[in-house]
Amino acid sequence: MKERQFGFGIIGAGTISDIHALAINAIPNATLHGVYSTTKNKSVAFADRHNCTSYDSLDEMLNILEIEIVCICTPSGIHLDPAIKSIAAGKHCVIEKPLEVTLEKCDSIIEAADKAGVKTAVIFPSRFYEASKQVKKAIDEKRFGELVLGDAYVKWSRSEQYYNSAAWRGTWQLDGGGALMNQGIHSVDLLQWYMGPVVSVQSVAANIKNKGIEVEDTVVSTLQFANGALGTIECSTAVFPGAFKRIEIMGTAGTAILEESNLIKWQFEKEAGEDESIVQKMSEGNVSHGGVSNPADISFAGHQKQLEDMMLSIETGKKPLIDAIDGRKSVEIVLAIYESARTGQKITLLNS
C-alpha cells in the first residue's frame, strides 16, 4: 500500500519558518507546497531556498487542495488571524509557540478548531526528545516518590541587533513579553508537563541589558504546584555567554536533571534495570546548541517529530501530544508571572 502523503503550507517567512521547512522536507511522506508572507520578497526568497511556491495571498494558498496542514510561523501576537482563516478553510494547524499572547486569543483559536473539527498543535519540540520522554515516564511510574521541587533555568544571550532585527521583537503587543514568553516558554511547558498544574506564582522582572525594548530581559519566579510541590523559574536573555537550558525534577525518591536534550543526572532510591543504559544513551550528544546565543542555532529534529505526531494524529483520529488546549497552559503561567511582577503580588491561576 502506498504511504499516505501529507501536504504542508507555511505562513510567515522568518527564521523559524526555515526550521519548519527543513523538518517537512526530512519527512518522506510530507511535501511542502508553498509559503505565504505579507513581506513578498521574503516569501520569494524562502520559496527559492526550499523549492516551493510563493503565494500572493493567504486565500490563494489556503485554496490549494493538496495542502492539508498549515504551519503558522508569524510573530507571536499575529497567530490568531491566520489560524482562524486556516481553520475556516478546513486546514489542520501547527502553530509556533506561544499559541498566542493573550488567553482571549488562545481561546478563540481553541473554540474555532473545535467547531470546525480540525486539529491543532503548538510547537514545543523539547517534549519529543528521548531524554524528556524518559523523565515523563519515570514521573508517571511514580519513581520520584512525592515530587518536591521542579525548577527551570533559561539563561541565554540576545544582542541589541537581535531585538532590532524585526519591529515586533521585544514588544508587548506582538512578542507578548520578553525572555520568558519568547525564549523561556519551552521550559515552562516542560515544567508544567512534568509537575502538573501551577496554582500560584510570585515573581520579579527586570530589564537589565536590553534597554531599547518594552519588555523584560530577566525574570525570576517561584511556583506552587497543585500537588504541593514548589518550583522556580529563572530566565534571562541578558547574560554572557549564555548556558544550556536546564530542568531539574527532584522528589523524595529520585532526581533527574535535563540539560537541553541530555540527561546529566538520573538517580533513584530504587534502581531499575534500564537505568544504566538510559544514562549512557541520554548523557551525550545534545541535539543542538539550543539557541543559547544564536536563535538560528537550533535543530529541526524536534520539529520533525512534532510534525510527524500531527500526521499520525490525523491518520488515527487521536489528539496531538500538544494541542491548542495544552499550548494555552504555558501562556497562562507566563501571563500570571508577568502580572505578579507588575503588581508585586502572588497570583493565583485558575485553569492550568
Short mmCIF file of all heavy atoms in Angstrom, two decimals, residues 237-264:
data_model
loop_
_atom_site.label_atom_id
_atom_site.label_comp_id
_atom_site.label_asym_id
_atom_site.label_seq_id
_atom_site.Cartn_x
_atom_site.Cartn_y
_atom_site.Cartn_z
N THR A 237 17.72 36.88 28.90
CA THR A 237 18.44 36.99 27.62
C THR A 237 19.56 38.01 27.74
O THR A 237 20.06 38.51 26.74
CB THR A 237 17.49 37.41 26.49
OG1 THR A 237 16.79 38.60 26.86
CG2 THR A 237 16.49 36.31 26.18
N ALA A 238 19.97 38.32 28.98
CA ALA A 238 20.92 39.41 29.21
C ALA A 238 22.30 38.94 29.64
O ALA A 238 23.19 39.76 29.85
CB ALA A 238 20.37 40.36 30.28
N VAL A 239 22.51 37.63 29.77
CA VAL A 239 23.77 37.14 30.34
C VAL A 239 24.77 36.75 29.25
O VAL A 239 24.38 36.39 28.14
CB VAL A 239 23.52 35.94 31.28
CG1 VAL A 239 22.59 36.34 32.41
CG2 VAL A 239 22.93 34.74 30.53
N PHE A 240 26.04 36.82 29.60
CA PHE A 240 27.11 36.41 28.69
C PHE A 240 27.88 35.26 29.32
O PHE A 240 28.20 35.31 30.49
CB PHE A 240 28.07 37.57 28.42
CG PHE A 240 29.22 37.19 27.53
CD1 PHE A 240 29.09 37.23 26.15
CD2 PHE A 240 30.43 36.76 28.07
CE1 PHE A 240 30.14 36.86 25.33
CE2 PHE A 240 31.48 36.38 27.25
CZ PHE A 240 31.34 36.44 25.88
N PRO A 241 28.20 34.21 28.56
CA PRO A 241 27.85 34.00 27.15
C PRO A 241 26.55 33.23 26.96
O PRO A 241 26.16 32.94 25.83
CB PRO A 241 29.02 33.15 26.65
CG PRO A 241 29.39 32.31 27.84
CD PRO A 241 29.14 33.18 29.06
N GLY A 242 25.88 32.92 28.05
CA GLY A 242 24.68 32.09 27.99
C GLY A 242 25.02 30.63 28.29
O GLY A 242 26.18 30.21 28.22
N ALA A 243 24.00 29.87 28.63
CA ALA A 243 24.21 28.46 29.01
C ALA A 243 23.06 27.61 28.49
O ALA A 243 21.99 28.14 28.17
CB ALA A 243 24.30 28.34 30.53
N PHE A 244 23.29 26.31 28.41
CA PHE A 244 22.21 25.40 28.02
C PHE A 244 21.05 25.53 28.99
O PHE A 244 21.25 25.70 30.20
CB PHE A 244 22.70 23.95 28.04
CG PHE A 244 23.61 23.59 26.89
CD1 PHE A 244 24.72 22.79 27.11
CD2 PHE A 244 23.33 24.03 25.61
CE1 PHE A 244 25.55 22.44 26.06
CE2 PHE A 244 24.16 23.68 24.55
CZ PHE A 244 25.28 22.88 24.78
N LYS A 245 19.83 25.43 28.46
CA LYS A 245 18.67 25.44 29.36
C LYS A 245 18.68 24.16 30.19
O LYS A 245 19.15 23.11 29.75
CB LYS A 245 17.37 25.60 28.57
CG LYS A 245 17.00 24.46 27.68
CD LYS A 245 15.72 24.79 26.90
CE LYS A 245 15.36 23.64 25.96
NZ LYS A 245 14.23 23.97 25.07
N ARG A 246 18.10 24.26 31.38
CA ARG A 246 18.23 23.19 32.37
C ARG A 246 16.90 23.01 33.10
O ARG A 246 16.26 24.00 33.49
CB ARG A 246 19.33 23.57 33.35
CG ARG A 246 19.71 22.57 34.41
CD ARG A 246 20.85 23.18 35.22
NE ARG A 246 21.23 22.37 36.37
CZ ARG A 246 22.33 21.63 36.42
NH1 ARG A 246 23.16 21.61 35.39
NH2 ARG A 246 22.63 20.93 37.50
N ILE A 247 16.49 21.79 33.26
CA ILE A 247 15.30 21.44 34.03
C ILE A 247 15.72 20.47 35.13
O ILE A 247 16.37 19.45 34.85
CB ILE A 247 14.23 20.74 33.15
CG1 ILE A 247 13.76 21.66 32.02
CG2 ILE A 247 13.05 20.27 34.01
CD1 ILE A 247 12.71 22.66 32.41
N GLU A 248 15.33 20.77 36.37
CA GLU A 248 15.64 19.88 37.49
C GLU A 248 14.34 19.41 38.12
O GLU A 248 13.51 20.22 38.54
CB GLU A 248 16.49 20.61 38.54
CG GLU A 248 17.83 21.08 38.00
CD GLU A 248 18.70 21.73 39.07
OE1 GLU A 248 18.23 21.85 40.24
OE2 GLU A 248 19.84 22.13 38.75
N ILE A 249 14.16 18.09 38.18
CA ILE A 249 12.99 17.48 38.81
C ILE A 249 13.48 16.65 39.99
O ILE A 249 14.28 15.71 39.80
CB ILE A 249 12.20 16.59 37.84
CG1 ILE A 249 11.83 17.38 36.57
CG2 ILE A 249 10.96 16.02 38.52
CD1 ILE A 249 10.92 18.56 36.81
N MET A 250 13.02 16.97 41.19
CA MET A 250 13.50 16.27 42.39
C MET A 250 12.32 15.86 43.26
O MET A 250 11.40 16.64 43.49
CB MET A 250 14.45 17.17 43.19
CG MET A 250 15.69 17.58 42.41
SD MET A 250 16.86 18.53 43.38
CE MET A 250 18.16 18.80 42.15
N GLY A 251 12.38 14.61 43.70
CA GLY A 251 11.34 14.09 44.56
C GLY A 251 11.92 13.40 45.78
O GLY A 251 13.14 13.35 45.97
N THR A 252 11.05 12.84 46.59
CA THR A 252 11.50 12.17 47.81
C THR A 252 12.26 10.89 47.52
O THR A 252 12.93 10.35 48.41
CB THR A 252 10.30 11.85 48.72
OG1 THR A 252 9.35 11.06 47.98
CG2 THR A 252 9.62 13.13 49.22
N ALA A 253 12.18 10.40 46.27
CA ALA A 253 12.84 9.12 45.95
C ALA A 253 13.66 9.18 44.67
O ALA A 253 14.11 8.14 44.17
CB ALA A 253 11.80 8.01 45.84
N GLY A 254 13.89 10.36 44.12
CA GLY A 254 14.67 10.41 42.88
C GLY A 254 14.91 11.81 42.37
O GLY A 254 14.21 12.76 42.75
N THR A 255 15.92 11.93 41.50
CA THR A 255 16.29 13.21 40.89
C THR A 255 16.65 12.99 39.43
O THR A 255 17.35 12.02 39.09
CB THR A 255 17.50 13.84 41.61
OG1 THR A 255 17.10 14.30 42.90
CG2 THR A 255 18.07 15.01 40.82
N ALA A 256 16.18 13.89 38.57
CA ALA A 256 16.60 13.91 37.17
C ALA A 256 16.92 15.34 36.80
O ALA A 256 16.19 16.27 37.17
CB ALA A 256 15.51 13.35 36.26
N ILE A 257 18.00 15.53 36.07
CA ILE A 257 18.39 16.85 35.59
C ILE A 257 18.60 16.77 34.08
O ILE A 257 19.41 15.98 33.60
CB ILE A 257 19.64 17.38 36.29
CG1 ILE A 257 19.41 17.51 37.81
CG2 ILE A 257 20.05 18.74 35.71
CD1 ILE A 257 20.63 17.96 38.59
N LEU A 258 17.85 17.60 33.36
CA LEU A 258 17.96 17.71 31.91
C LEU A 258 18.75 18.96 31.55
O LEU A 258 18.45 20.04 32.07
CB LEU A 258 16.58 17.83 31.28
CG LEU A 258 15.80 16.58 30.91
CD1 LEU A 258 14.36 16.98 30.56
CD2 LEU A 258 16.43 15.87 29.73
N GLU A 259 19.71 18.82 30.69
CA GLU A 259 20.42 19.96 30.12
C GLU A 259 20.24 19.87 28.62
O GLU A 259 20.80 18.98 27.97
CB GLU A 259 21.90 19.94 30.51
CG GLU A 259 22.60 21.25 30.28
CD GLU A 259 24.00 21.23 30.86
OE1 GLU A 259 24.87 20.58 30.24
OE2 GLU A 259 24.23 21.84 31.92
N GLU A 260 19.40 20.79 28.06
CA GLU A 260 18.97 20.66 26.66
C GLU A 260 18.38 19.27 26.45
O GLU A 260 17.46 18.89 27.15
CB GLU A 260 20.12 20.95 25.70
CG GLU A 260 20.49 22.42 25.65
CD GLU A 260 19.41 23.33 25.12
OE1 GLU A 260 18.55 22.88 24.34
OE2 GLU A 260 19.42 24.51 25.49
N SER A 261 18.91 18.48 25.52
CA SER A 261 18.35 17.15 25.26
C SER A 261 19.13 16.05 25.95
O SER A 261 18.97 14.87 25.63
CB SER A 261 18.32 16.89 23.75
OG SER A 261 19.61 17.04 23.19
N ASN A 262 19.99 16.41 26.89
CA ASN A 262 20.79 15.43 27.63
C ASN A 262 20.28 15.24 29.06
O ASN A 262 19.86 16.21 29.71
CB ASN A 262 22.25 15.88 27.74
CG ASN A 262 23.00 15.71 26.44
OD1 ASN A 262 22.46 15.21 25.46
ND2 ASN A 262 24.24 16.16 26.42
N LEU A 263 20.35 14.03 29.55
CA LEU A 263 20.16 13.74 30.97
C LEU A 263 21.52 13.76 31.62
O LEU A 263 22.37 12.92 31.32
CB LEU A 263 19.53 12.35 31.16
CG LEU A 263 18.02 12.25 31.16
CD1 LEU A 263 17.60 10.78 31.19
CD2 LEU A 263 17.42 12.97 32.36
N ILE A 264 21.78 14.71 32.52
CA ILE A 264 23.08 14.76 33.18
C ILE A 264 23.02 14.21 34.60
O ILE A 264 24.06 14.02 35.23
CB ILE A 264 23.66 16.19 33.16
CG1 ILE A 264 22.79 17.15 33.95
CG2 ILE A 264 23.84 16.68 31.73
CD1 ILE A 264 23.44 18.52 34.17
#
